[in-house]
C-alpha cells in the first residue's frame, strides 16, 4: 500500500510517499523559516498562503521522484490537527480533493501521533509498549504508549512547550528563529558554571513540567548583564542545561513509574544533541533502550504523516465525503486503528 502524506500544520510544507513494502519512496520539505524570520515567530496568515503556493509543486516533485502515477497511490493522509487552522485547512482540502479525484481513501492524522511514530521510519524500530517524550514547538508530553492509538498522557507542560521556550529565549537574546538550533549551536561556546538556572518543578512530585519561568530568568539575567557575545553564549548554555536536566529528571521518574524498558523521544526538540546525549546516558545506566528519529524526521515532515496514515488506512479507517480539521486535539482522545 502506497500512501501520500501531507503535513501543513505550521510553517513547513512536508510531502512524502510511504510504501508498506518498500518503506519511504520519496519526500520533500519546504520550510517557511525565512518568511517568518523578521517577525520572530510564525505568522498564521502568511503560513497558510505559503502552503497554498508550495503544496502542488511539492506533490508533483515527490510523485515524480517516487516514479508514481496517480493510480499508484492507495491512500492519502494529511495532518488534520492540532495546528494552525488556516494552515491545516490547506493540507486537508488538497488531500481530500486529490483522494476524491484519484478515487482512493483519505484520512486526517493527528500531528503528534505522526511525531510519536516517526522513529518507525528508522531501521531499528521500538517495540510496544514504551514511554515517549514528545517535545515540539507546541507540545511537551510524557506518553505511556501501549500500542498505536493507545496513548495515555502521564505528564505535560502546564505552560510553554519546550520548543516554544527555546524560541522565546532566542528572541530575547536577539537570535534568529527557530530558537532551538541557534541556541544549541551558541551553547557550544558557553562557559559551564557561570550561570545556573532553575530546574522547574523537579522538587514537586509528579510528571508535569513548566518552562515559562525559565524565560523570565533568562530575561532578568540578560537585562542585568554586560550584554557581550560571551554572555549570550553563557546564557544559552545555562538555559539548555536547565531544560535538558529537567526533561531528564522527569523521564527518569516516568520510566521508574511505568516500568517501561524503552524510551522514545520525538518532535523538533528531540533533534537537540545535548538532550539526546543526556537521555542516552540515562537509559544506558539503567539498561534500557532509547529510540529517536534522524534529525530531519524530528522536526515536521510528510513522512511521519504518511506512516501514521498508513496504519489507519490499512485498518479500514477513512474520511467520509467531507473533511474536518481540529486545531486543538488531545492525543488521549485517539483510538486504535480501525476502531471507529
Ligand atoms: O516538531 P516541530 O518541527 O514543530 C512543532 O510541531 O511544533 O518543532 C519545532 C520546534 C521549534 O520550537 C524549534 O526551536 C525546536 O523544535 N527545535 C529544537 C532544535 N531543532 C528544532 N530545539 C532544540 N534543539 C534543536 N536542535
Ligand atoms: Zn511538529
Amino acid at each position: 500500500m502506497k500512501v501520500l502524506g501531507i503535513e501543513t500544520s505550521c510553517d513547513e510544507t512536508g510531502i512524502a510517499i510511504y510504501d508498506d513494502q518498500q518503506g519511504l519512496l520519496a519526500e520533500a520539505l519546504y520550510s517557511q523559516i525565512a518568511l517568518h524570520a523578521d517577525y520572530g515567530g510564525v505568522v498564521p496568515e502568511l503560513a497558510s498562503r505559503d502552503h497554498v503556493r508550495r503544496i502542488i509543486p511539492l506533490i508533483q516533485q515527490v510523485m515524480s521522484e517516487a516514479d508514481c502515477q496517480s493510480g499508484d497511490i492507495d491512500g492519502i493522509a494529511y495532518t488534520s490537527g492540532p495546528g494552525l487552522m488556516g494552515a491545516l485547512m490547506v493540507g486537508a482540502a488538497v488531500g481530500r480533493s486529490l483522494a476524491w479525484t484519484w478515487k482512493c481513501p483519505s484520512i486526517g492524522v493527528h500531528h503528534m501521533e505522526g511525531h510519536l511514530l516517526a522513529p518507525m521510519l528508522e531501521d531499528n524500530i521500538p517495540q510496544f509498549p514504551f514511554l515517549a517524550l514528545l517535545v515540539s514547538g507546541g507540545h511537551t508530553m510524557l506518553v505511556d504508549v501501549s500500542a498505536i492509538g493507545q496513548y495515555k498522557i502521564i505528564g505535560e507542560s502546564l505552560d510553554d512547550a519546550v520548543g516554544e521556550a527555546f524560541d522565546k529565549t532566542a528572541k530575547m537574546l536577539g537570535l534568529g528563529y527557530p530558537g532551538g538550533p541557534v541556541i544549541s549551536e551558541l551553547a557550544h561556546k558557553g562557559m559551564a558554571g557561570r550561570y545556573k538556572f532553575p530546574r522547574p518543578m523537579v522538587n514537586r512530585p509528579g510528571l508535569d513540567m513548566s518552562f515559562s519561568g525559565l524565560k523570565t530568568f533568562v530575561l532578568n539575567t540578560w537585562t542585568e548583564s554586560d550584554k557581550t557575545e560571551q554572555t549570550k553564549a553563557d546564557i544559552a548554555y545555562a538555559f539548555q542545561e536547565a531544560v535538558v536536566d529537567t526533561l531528564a529528571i522527569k523521564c527518569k521518574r516516568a520510566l521508574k513509574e511505568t516500568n517501561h524498558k524503552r524510551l522514545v523521544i520525538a518532535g523538533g526538540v528531540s533533534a537537540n544533541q545535548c538532550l539526546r546525549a543526556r537521555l542516552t546516558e540515562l537509559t544506558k545506566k539503567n539498561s534500557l533502550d532509547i529510540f529517536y528519529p534522524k534529525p530531519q524526521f524530528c522536526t515536521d515532515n510528510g513522512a511521519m504523516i504518511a506512516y501514521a496514515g498508513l496504519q489507519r488506512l490499512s485498518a479500514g479507517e477513512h474520511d467520509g465525503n467531507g473533511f474536518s480539521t481540529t486545531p486543538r486535539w488531545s492525543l488521549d482522545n485517539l483510538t486504535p486503528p480501525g476502531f471507529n
Side-chain angles (χ1 to χ4, degrees):
M1 183 179 204
K2 286 185 180 54
V3 173
L4 174 75
I6 302 176
E7 157 59 36
T8 63
S9 67
C10 190
D11 59 345
E12 255 123 18
T13 320
I15 308 292
I17 297 172
Y18 190 89
D19 183 332
D20 59 351
Q21 300 299 315
Q22 302 170 67
L24 189 62
L25 299 185
E27 55 128 2
L29 185 87
Y30 181 85
S31 170
Q32 303 177 354
I33 285 175
L35 178 71
H36 303 288
D38 287 349
Y39 305 93
V42 179
V43 184
E45 181 60 26
L46 295 183
S48 317
R49 291 183 202 180
D50 209 51
H51 285 307
V52 171
R53 267 193 292 271
R54 311 292 171 187
I55 193 164
I56 301 293
L58 278 181
I59 292 174
Q60 285 172 325
Q61 179 190 328
V62 166
M63 290 288 283
S64 139
E65 280 173 18
D67 204 15
C68 281
Q69 308 297 318
S70 54
D72 299 327
I73 299 297
D74 303 297
I76 298 182
Y78 55 86
T79 305
S80 55
L84 303 170
M85 177 59 118
L88 290 168
M89 290 286 284
V90 178
V94 170
R96 183 72 202 98
S97 309
L98 267 184
W100 183 53
T101 318
W102 292 354
K103 299 186 174 50
C104 66
S106 64
I107 184 114
V109 168
H110 193 293
H111 181 76
M112 297 312 290
E113 179 171 61
H115 276 306
L116 195 150
L117 298 179
M120 308 294 181
L121 297 165
E122 305 301 327
D123 292 334
N124 180 25
I125 64 170
Q127 300 298 312
F128 296 100
F130 55 75
L131 173 76
L133 171 70
L134 298 185
V135 275
S136 71
H139 296 86
T140 301
M141 292 183 261
L142 278 161
V143 190
D144 188 340
V145 179
S146 311
I148 295 182
Q150 284 182 268
Y151 311 126
K152 190 169 171 232
I153 301 171
I154 55 173
E156 60 190 328
S157 174
L158 303 177
D159 39 57
D160 292 353
V162 190
E164 191 180 357
F166 269 100
D167 296 338
K168 287 178 176 170
T169 296
K171 196 172 179 179
M172 280 187 283
L173 297 177
L175 304 166
Y177 174 85
V182 250
I183 297 247
S184 62
E185 187 59 37
L186 190 60
H188 286 302
K189 299 183 196 145
M191 223 171 10
R194 179 165 171 209
Y195 297 114
K196 173 126 177 150
F197 291 171
R199 277 62 174 151
M201 291 182 69
V202 294
N203 295 325
R204 278 196 235 166
L207 299 170
D208 285 338
M209 295 160 262
S210 159
F211 294 99
S212 76
L214 263 181
K215 203 173 46 192
T216 318
F217 224 86
V218 168
L219 183 64
N220 292 342
T221 310
W222 178 241
T223 312
E224 290 159 16
S225 77
D226 55 9
K227 298 199 174 56
T228 60
E229 288 306 305
Q230 185 58 49
T231 295
K232 231 185 236 189
D234 296 344
I235 291 177
Y237 179 92
F239 169 80
Q240 181 171 262
E241 276 296 298
V243 167
V244 168
D245 242 18
T246 306
L247 291 173
I249 291 166
K250 294 287 174 171
C251 277
K252 188 175 173 187
R253 202 177 281 177
L255 283 164
K256 206 167 168 196
E257 276 183 24
T258 57
N259 211 19
H260 280 311
K261 304 290 177 237
R262 300 171 203 99
L263 173 67
V264 160
I265 49 170
V269 184
S270 68
N272 187 281
Q273 294 301 331
C274 186
L275 178 66
R276 286 175 180 229
R278 188 72 55 87
L279 294 179
T280 301
E281 190 188 311
L282 168 74
T283 47
K284 234 186 195 166
K285 236 191 224 165
N286 293 280
S287 309
L288 309 173
D289 291 320
I290 187 164
F291 301 84
Y292 40 75
K294 58 171 79 70
Q296 82 201 78
F297 296 145
C298 288
T299 43
D300 292 350
N301 64 86
M304 66 183 196
I305 301 304
Y307 182 88
L310 191 146
Q311 309 312 311
R312 295 186 173 276
L313 287 163
S314 62
E317 267 185 60
H318 58 81
D319 290 330
N321 283 337
F323 65 87
S324 60
T325 51
T326 316
R328 295 176 77 81
W329 184 6
S330 173
L331 201 60
D332 269 343
N333 295 335
L334 294 189
T335 49
F339 187 78
N340 49 9

